[in-house]
Amino acid sequence: MCKKSGKDKKADTSNHMGQQNDHRKQEKMLERFLAATIEELILAISELPDGIILEVYFDDEG
């Protein structure tokens, strides 16, 4: 095994930081999507006529 030069270390660190930033962006996009979806669901439920029973099931196969 050989030691990495300063340039190689910097490239690895830069690549890792870029991947972390991409992951954070994806998380934020998912959070925004879920928030928008929940808001739309709440609006749709509020527009249902009285007497309607709404059942919601979540499939958690995580």
Side-chain angles (χ1 to χ4, degrees):
M1 291 190 169
C2 62
K3 282 189 167 182
K4 290 187 176 185
S5 69
K7 277 187 174 181
D8 290 340
K9 286 182 184 178
K10 185 176 179 180
D12 287 346
T13 302
S14 177
N15 187 27
H16 180 69
M17 295 299 285
Q19 289 174 346
Q20 284 181 332
N21 287 338
D22 289 345
H23 185 67
R24 286 187 191 119
K25 285 179 187 176
Q26 287 178 345
E27 285 178 350
K28 287 189 182 283
M29 287 175 57
L30 179 59
E31 287 173 11
R32 280 189 235 125
F33 170 75
L34 291 175
T37 303
I38 291 169
E39 285 180 32
E40 290 175 5
L41 180 60
I42 291 169
L43 287 173
I45 290 170
S46 68
E47 292 178 6
L48 288 173
D50 293 337
I52 298 289
I53 298 172
L54 179 69
E55 296 183 26
V56 179
Y57 298 93
F58 293 96
D59 186 16
D60 185 20
E61 294 183 13

